[in-house]
Amino acid sequence: MTRAVTIALDAMGGDHGPSVVVPAAAQILRRHSQVKLILVGDEQVLKQHLAQQRLETSERLQIHHASQVVGMDELPSHALRNKKDSSMRVAINLVKEGVADACVSAGNTGALMATARFVLKTLPGVDRPAITALVPTRNGFARLLDLGANVDCSADHLLQFAVMGAVLAEAIDGKPNPRVGLLNIGEEEIKGNDQIKQAARLLSESNLNYIGYVEGDGIFKGVADVIVCDGLVGNVALKTMEGVGTVIAEFMREEFSRNLFTKLAGLAALPVLRALQKRIDSRGYNGGSLLGLRGIVVKSHGSADAYSYSRAIDVAILEVERAVPTRIDQHLADMLVKEQSL
Amino acid sequence: MTRAVTIALDAMGGDHGPSVVVPAAAQILRRHSQVKLILVGDEQVLKQHLAQQRLETSERLQIHHASQVVGMDELPSHALRNKKDSSMRVAINLVKEGVADACVSAGNTGALMATARFVLKTLPGVDRPAITALVPTRNGFARLLDLGANVDCSADHLLQFAVMGAVLAEAIDGKPNPRVGLLNIGEEEIKGNDQIKQAARLLSESNLNYIGYVEGDGIFKGVADVIVCDGLVGNVALKTMEGVGTVIAEFMREEFSRNLFTKLAGLAALPVLRALQKRIDSRGYNGGSLLGLRGIVVKSHGSADAYSYSRAIDVAILEVERAVPTRIDQHLADMLVKEQSL
């Protein structure tokens, strides 16, 4: 029997806090027999939520009290200084102390990144941790990073992101020798800024399977398994995707509810529309990995529902089972050795 | 009677050249009684296309011979040096000489921008011309710029883009006192790079109706009429939108053609799906304006069909009628006077 994987959950974080995290925990305990969960947050509040869900604490579902909560709009620096007993900080501490193998939070991304970096520290060879998530493509999905942790990135940073993204694509997404692309503008001669051009050179010389520049619409064509960009570009691209998806869904609802005929058409098309929605539903893709840390931290979307949050926990479990930080560390060390021996 | 508006068309540019430009010209001549068109390109080829369309040259439809064509992948610098008799260059020359009031091209964006800038020059106070286009939102449309002409932008450049975008929103989109937003990342404290933060200060102090930062998904919420960003971010955002739209359309086709039942559902839903497509059809939004030049140049999508190309000509006609360059010049001069009097 393998050792149980233990995940600490920041039960107070996100737009909905324990009313989402506790039901998500229940889903995980049903899906995975080998997983232990630690709910971190206000003990009284959590006990009430457990009671509502007819759950009890057990060997597999524990409560770890934390008296504070990091606000969704709180400045990371403020949270770092003043929220030392927050559910977020304590959940990360449990990873640091080896009590938990990973933690999941739907809280404030900036505070989560700052706290995780402060508590866990980065791996050797990693200047800046990055955030990555999967996006659906025509024929599967691709991994995009950085999604907002770093706004100004050097070519070296982009190379490190590429290495970390490739490790995740191989270890988690099941893509051996993943194709790595650099997100860029399409025009000739004005192809991107200096950092992107230099990163292209570094990637060409690396042992990664670098396939060249990818444009915004190329993300969805499935031409690359890992798409690398700075956090500003990545964040805008990700949120643009979400925005387009939302507006198209709204337009569809409006068009199908225009009159009796369109309503009947909508009824006839309902199973198809549901299948379509499932395919582009961002809930199935929830779980942004904070990469480059000496520990596993997964960010859930702040507005995630219980199913969506449980998908973020799934990501954390997989990263523990596949020992992602160790693999990243090894890959970066290999590159460093290779560089020094040149 | 008002003087006829004359538009020069780069008839050889784009993926389809005259087989799209000539039918588009025919559509325009039917729609606008006061517009004159000059088809610029190989005279023999153009005459054949006119014959195929049962068109003849006339006072309102002329041919201006040009012996060369700029390739879609040709480097802008190469086009500038070696293609002095290209359909693109000659069409821009006609604007410079006052023979035409504006020109439209579906050719290579980089070459078009470089040639237009070289031939027409920028307006006083404009360091770099920008490209802008409309994107559909929940409740209408918004104007995004820059879309790829400039990858590294200072705060001053972003301010100039904002002024030019606001002029277009007011003059062309019919939006008095347009709301101007800066495209940015959503996280607190790490809100964007230094250029964006400084541009936010400049915009706050300007006489523009600046509403603050807009995130990627905010573009579609209709919170701003003009959304300003550097060309790398804008290009990625625009192409991401197109990519998401395409992949959703593909998924829909697949889901509706899965079996007999889904095909029947698709048939029932067809009028609704067509209405939906029309709403998000990028063809209706074709026509990227090159702003900040001493003349009007409109870029059509390279793969535009005749209807879509005719929409780009419509944009050029409107810009002539509303004297866009003069308005931009005036607005920038006003700002300069205000700055100096402070």
Side-chain angles (χ1 to χ4, degrees), chain A residues 244-258, chain B residues 136-140 220 272 275-281 285:
Chain A
V244 175
T246 305
V247 86
I248 290 180
E250 270 181 28
F251 282 180
M252 274 171 85
R253 265 192 298 276
E254 278 177 35
E255 292 298 338
F256 275 115
S257 57
R258 219 170 258 290
Chain B
T137 68
R138 177 185 291 175
N139 48 13
F220 309 97
V272 178
L276 176 71
Q277 191 188 22
K278 199 171 170 186
R279 249 173 112 167
I280 55 175
D281 186 358
Y285 299 90

Side-chain angles (χ1 to χ4, degrees), chain A residues 72-78 108-110 136-139 147-152 183-196 215-220 230-233 235-248 250-252 254-256 258 261-262 264-266 268-273 275-276 279-280, chain B residues 72-78 108-110 136-139 147-152 183-196 215-220 230-233 235-248 250-252 254-256 258 261-262 264-266 268-273 275-276 279-280:
Chain A
M72 289 306 272
D73 293 327
E74 193 167 340
L75 287 179
S77 55
H78 187 270
N108 177 334
T109 312
T137 68
R138 176 185 292 173
N139 47 14
L147 295 179
N150 309 282
V151 290
D152 282 306
L183 191 57
N184 200 353
I185 202 167
E187 302 310 325
E188 297 297 327
E189 200 172 26
I190 49 166
K191 266 189 176 161
N193 53 32
D194 289 342
Q195 295 90 293
I196 294 177
E215 293 186 57
D217 53 343
I219 300 172
F220 311 96
D230 78 38
L232 178 65
V233 171
N235 186 280
V236 167
L238 185 75
K239 292 204 169 138
T240 299
M241 281 172 221
E242 291 176 2
V244 175
T246 305
V247 86
I248 290 180
E250 270 181 28
F251 282 180
M252 274 171 85
E254 278 177 35
E255 292 298 338
F256 275 115
R258 219 170 258 290
F261 178 76
T262 60
L264 285 172
L270 203 60
V272 178
L273 296 177
L276 177 71
R279 253 173 108 164
I280 56 176
Chain B
M72 290 304 275
D73 292 326
E74 194 167 338
L75 286 179
S77 55
H78 186 270
N108 176 332
T109 311
T137 68
R138 177 185 291 175
N139 48 13
L147 294 179
N150 309 283
V151 290
D152 282 307
L183 191 57
N184 202 353
I185 202 167
E187 302 309 325
E188 296 298 326
E189 200 172 27
I190 51 165
K191 265 190 177 164
N193 53 32
D194 289 342
Q195 296 91 294
I196 295 177
E215 292 186 57
D217 53 343
I219 300 172
F220 309 97
D230 78 37
L232 178 64
V233 172
N235 186 279
V236 167
L238 185 75
K239 292 204 168 138
T240 298
M241 284 172 220
E242 292 177 1
V244 175
T246 305
V247 86
I248 290 179
E250 270 181 29
F251 283 180
M252 274 171 86
E254 278 177 34
E255 292 298 337
F256 275 115
R258 221 172 256 291
F261 178 76
T262 59
L264 285 172
L270 203 60
V272 178
L273 296 177
L276 176 71
R279 249 173 112 167
I280 55 175

